[in-house]
Amino acid sequence: MSTPDETPQPQQPGSQPPQPGNVPPAGYQPPQGYQPPQGYQPPSQPGQYSQPGAPQPGPGQPAAGQPGFHFEMPTDGPRSFNDVMPQGGFSGMFKTQGLPTELKVSYFIWVISGLLGLLFGLIGFFAVIAAFAFAPGIAAIALILLLLALAVAAAQVVLAMKMKEGKEWARLALTILAGVSLLLAIFGAASGGGSGMGLGGNWFGFLVSAVAVVLMWMPNSQLWFKAVKGHA
């Protein structure tokens, strides 16, 4: 027969601290003198409970689910020449439905700068041909650079249209083209007389391309590419 001192008393709510892995009930108050386990973080919002030792996002690190810069090599590379050409041809060159604002601005920068590059390149071509009469050596170098600039300008338009389709390989190729534009600007300035043969705008073209590259890799742009890839 048990004595009154040995009779177990019912536990009152809140008399036991929550065990690791259990979410404390609403209104729970720890007993006086209770010390939480090492590494325990109190929940910042109702329904959230931090496990002891669980990693917490540090300063400057995006929380889970928030967009951030993350580079991956594209896996949707072209397998044939038809995969390189824009779908439906060039009739939809100025249609940008469904693109985020960053990609719209980047797309028009690539297309307009590419078309202007083709226009000024053709004008500069006649200046280079005329230069062969009095400076054949410089004209030959300028002609090579001009042909490369024309090829880069044409590639910009085609790759921009493929980028608009959500092709990550086209975005990477445009990024590389921005580096090529920098090299053309350097060699054009080193060859001398570039401004008189249609090559003086390469520095401006590189700066414009750099802005377009940054916009292509913004968080909203990356989320859009991932969404298109997920529906492919």
Side-chain angles (χ1 to χ4, degrees):
M1 182 173 181
S2 60
T3 63
D5 294 339
E6 297 177 352
T7 304
Q9 299 296 326
Q11 295 182 353
Q12 298 297 327
S15 61
Q16 294 294 330
Q19 299 299 321
N22 296 331
V23 178
Y28 168 78
Q29 296 293 333
Q32 186 176 4
Y34 168 72
Q35 297 294 330
Q38 186 178 5
Y40 170 78
Q41 296 292 335
S44 58
Q45 296 180 4
Q48 291 185 352
Y49 181 76
S50 300
Q51 298 289 344
Q56 301 294 326
Q61 295 181 354
Q66 294 184 354
F69 179 80
H70 181 67
F71 175 77
E72 293 181 356
M73 287 299 295
T75 58
D76 56 353
R79 300 180 180 179
S80 63
F81 180 76
N82 292 332
D83 293 338
V84 177
M85 299 306 296
Q87 295 180 0
F90 295 91
S91 58
M93 180 180 297
F94 296 101
K95 296 180 180 179
T96 57
Q97 290 83 355
L99 292 179
T101 303
E102 293 87 345
L103 278 183
K104 285 183 180 180
V105 176
S106 178
Y107 172 76
F108 280 119
I109 288 176
W110 286 118
V111 171
I112 294 176
S113 62
L115 294 177
L116 290 177
L118 290 173
L119 176 62
F120 289 114
L122 292 176
I123 296 175
F125 179 78
F126 296 102
V128 172
I129 296 300
F132 273 97
F134 56 88
I138 296 178
I141 297 176
L143 179 61
I144 295 175
L145 294 175
L146 183 59
L147 293 177
L148 288 175
L150 288 172
V152 169
Q156 278 186 205
V157 178
V158 175
L159 291 174
M161 297 190 70
K162 297 302 294 185
M163 182 267 291
K164 184 180 64 172
E165 298 174 9
K167 302 299 183 181
E168 294 181 329
W169 66 265
R171 178 176 59 168
L172 180 60
L174 286 171
T175 304
I176 296 174
L177 274 184
V180 175
S181 299
L182 174 61
L183 294 178
L184 288 177
I186 295 174
F187 286 120
S191 64
S195 58
M197 299 180 184
L199 300 175
N202 282 335
W203 284 112
F204 177 76
F206 164 70
L207 294 177
V208 171
S209 300
V211 174
V213 167
V214 172
L215 292 173
M216 286 193 306
W217 293 96
M218 295 291 286
N220 285 341
S221 301
Q222 295 200 66
L223 289 178
W224 182 84
F225 276 99
K226 290 181 179 179
V228 173
K229 186 178 180 180
H231 287 84

